[in-house]
Structure formats: C-alpha cells, structure tokens
Amino acid sequence: MNDQSTIFPKFYMTAPSPCPYLEGKMERKVFTDLTGVDSAQRHESFNQIGFRRSQNIVYRPACEGCNKCVSVRVLAEKFKPGKTMKRTLNKFENLILEDLDPIATYEQFDLLKSYLKARHGSGGMAEMDEFEYSEMVELSPVTTRVVEYREKALEGRFRKGTLAGVSITDVMSDGLSLVYSFFRTDERFSGLGTFIILDHIRRAAAANLPYVYLGYWVEGSKTMAYKNRFKPQEKLTKTGWQPFKEDKND
C-alpha cells in the first residue's frame, strides 16, 4: 500500500515570529514532513526548490511582502580560492578531520553552547538542551554525516585532540548540504568557519559532486553576508538556479 503522505505531502505554516536576520521584519515558514517512503528522493526534490532540512522536516521562508532569503549553492568543481582563502586553508591544514555517523556527543554539545553564547546569544537556538541537540544530529531520515575538526593530540597515541569545529552535513546525489556548523570562536581560530566551507567544497569536488549548498543568503543581513564570498555560485530565482555575478573569491 502506498504511503499517501508521500504522494500528497501536507504542508503547514508557522505563526509569525521576529525575523532572526532583518530587524523589524517578521518571518513565517512553510514546512512538511520528510519521514516515510523515499525520504532521500523527496529531500532532494524539495532541496531543488529552496527547502532546507531540520531533523525530519523540510521548510522554506514564506514571509508576506519579503523575499530576501535566497537559496545559494557553490559550484564546487569550478571553485578556486583567492589569496585570503588560501591563507585560511594553510592556517588550518593541520587539523584532523573525521567523517562520522550522525551520533551526538557531550563534547559536541559543549562546543555548540560555547559557539551560540559567543555568536548567537539571543537567537532561537541559545536555550537548546542536550536532548534537542541529539535530535538535531540524529533525527535524520536521509544520509547525514557529522564532520569533526580537531587539533592534533599533544601526547598519547590514542588520545584525541581538542575539538575545534563540527559540521552536520547532508549527502545528496548532486552535492553536500551544510545543515549546521559551529566552531571555536576565540582569536586563535579566526577563519575556522570559512575553512569548514572550503573543506566541504574541496570534499565535494573530490567526490565529483557539483554543488555545495549553503542555505539562505539574506540581502542586508550582516550575519549572512559571508556566503556571498564563495564564487562561482548560483542562486535560486523564480526561473530556476542562476549564476551570481562573478567577483573575486576573497
């Protein structure tokens, strides 16, 4: 028997709430459930029209009178880092990268709380607890990986180095989608967020995956401006995916 929710997905709308990106604006989202038959296929179909995944749902902005949130993706195989990004790659070249199954740990959660306190202290995720973090990582009906970025251990053959960054990443047939990433924010790790994106671009290209999906770029939002630095990239328009204007990478 066919799962009717797969054939005819039900969509829901959130209540208006303050926009986290643009002051004085209100946001609403339309969302639908991903669980059921062919979750991965449906996830990719929704991704192509600008939806993002959060746990077992996909959503996209549906704000009245505003369309500032624009889905963007980097063309991984054509990407060439500029001088500043090359310096960032060199700065963190000694980090140890581990591609792991989506299992939450207390170490990851502690890093997340530190990151949120430093960067998004008034955001909606600031009060997230351990259980909610576990759901964010583990409640995924699609292929999801957790990439950890660690310093080298100073001593001990089997000792792990300090956890510096984490990325929760969905793997699709045409690319990698960065669901959420967080990292140490002290001065010594300045640029690590950029490095995590550069690493995903490098990993996608090595796997012959054409795109790295960065989520929404929001015109006028300082916190989202960094996404515009990774060129060449495409943005999702009413007529489909179109190239962003070419600028220098750095």
Side-chain angles (χ1 to χ4, degrees):
M1 182 178 294
N2 290 329
D3 185 342
Q4 294 300 311
S5 65
T6 300
I7 301 173
F8 304 108
K10 294 181 179 180
F11 292 90
Y12 305 89
M13 186 80 75
T14 63
S17 60
C19 176
Y21 307 117
L22 300 175
E23 186 176 356
K25 296 284 188 178
M26 301 295 288
E27 72 164 359
R28 298 190 75 179
K29 296 186 180 77
V30 60
F31 66 95
T32 188
D33 192 355
L34 260 188
T35 55
V37 181
D38 297 330
S39 294
Q41 183 178 346
R42 287 184 291 123
H43 175 232
E44 297 204 15
S45 296
F46 281 122
N47 185 73
Q48 289 302 311
I49 56 175
F51 280 75
R52 296 284 291 167
R53 186 185 68 81
S54 176
Q55 300 177 24
N56 60 357
I57 68 168
V58 287
Y59 68 90
R60 65 174 295 174
C63 307
E64 185 175 351
C66 181
N67 57 1
K68 296 278 188 182
C69 290
V70 179
S71 296
V72 294
R73 63 187 186 186
V74 182
L75 279 64
E77 295 171 314
K78 296 181 179 180
F79 179 83
K80 296 185 183 301
K83 292 181 180 179
T84 301
M85 290 185 178
K86 285 181 179 178
R87 286 195 292 269
T88 299
L89 287 168
N90 290 333
K91 178 179 180 179
F92 296 108
E93 66 178 354
N94 291 325
L95 288 182
I96 296 172
L97 281 56
E98 293 187 278
D99 188 321
L100 306 170
D101 292 332
I103 299 173
T105 68
Y106 285 110
E107 186 181 24
Q108 295 167 8
F109 178 70
D110 288 343
L111 179 60
L112 173 67
K113 295 299 287 185
S114 174
Y115 168 80
L116 291 174
K117 182 178 180 180
R119 295 289 182 90
H120 305 286
S122 60
M125 294 178 61
E127 302 302 320
M128 178 180 287
D129 60 25
E130 293 94 331
F131 177 76
E132 291 169 324
Y133 174 68
S134 293
E135 285 193 328
M136 183 173 79
V137 174
E138 300 176 6
L139 194 58
S140 171
V142 301
T143 301
T144 300
R145 307 297 295 170
V146 172
V147 184
E148 290 187 345
Y149 299 82
R150 292 183 177 274
E151 294 187 283
K152 291 183 177 180
L154 297 178
E155 59 182 31
R157 181 177 177 183
F158 299 105
R159 182 179 175 184
K160 286 189 174 183
T162 302
L163 183 63
V166 174
S167 177
I168 304 168
T169 304
D170 286 344
V171 181
M172 300 181 294
S173 63
D174 69 343
L176 303 177
S177 176
L178 280 81
V179 177
Y180 198 77
S181 60
F182 50 95
F183 42 86
R184 290 185 59 171
T185 58
D186 41 300
E187 183 62 29
R188 187 161 65 92
F189 291 93
S190 175
L192 182 53
T194 295
F195 175 80
I196 290 174
I197 295 176
L198 292 172
D199 175 60
H200 277 71
I201 295 172
R202 182 168 57 186
R203 291 158 66 89
N208 295 316
L209 297 173
Y211 305 115
V212 172
Y213 291 87
L214 298 183
Y216 300 116
W217 169 73
V218 185
E219 183 179 2
S221 170
K222 292 182 179 179
T223 60
M224 293 289 106
Y226 72 92
K227 295 182 181 182
N228 200 29
R229 297 173 54 224
F230 298 90
K231 301 289 183 63
Q233 66 175 235
E234 295 177 340
K235 62 179 179 179
L236 184 59
T237 71
K238 293 180 179 179
T239 58
W241 291 95
Q242 300 293 337
F244 247 4
K245 181 181 178 181
E246 291 289 340
D247 293 322
K248 292 182 180 179
N249 285 315
D250 57 349

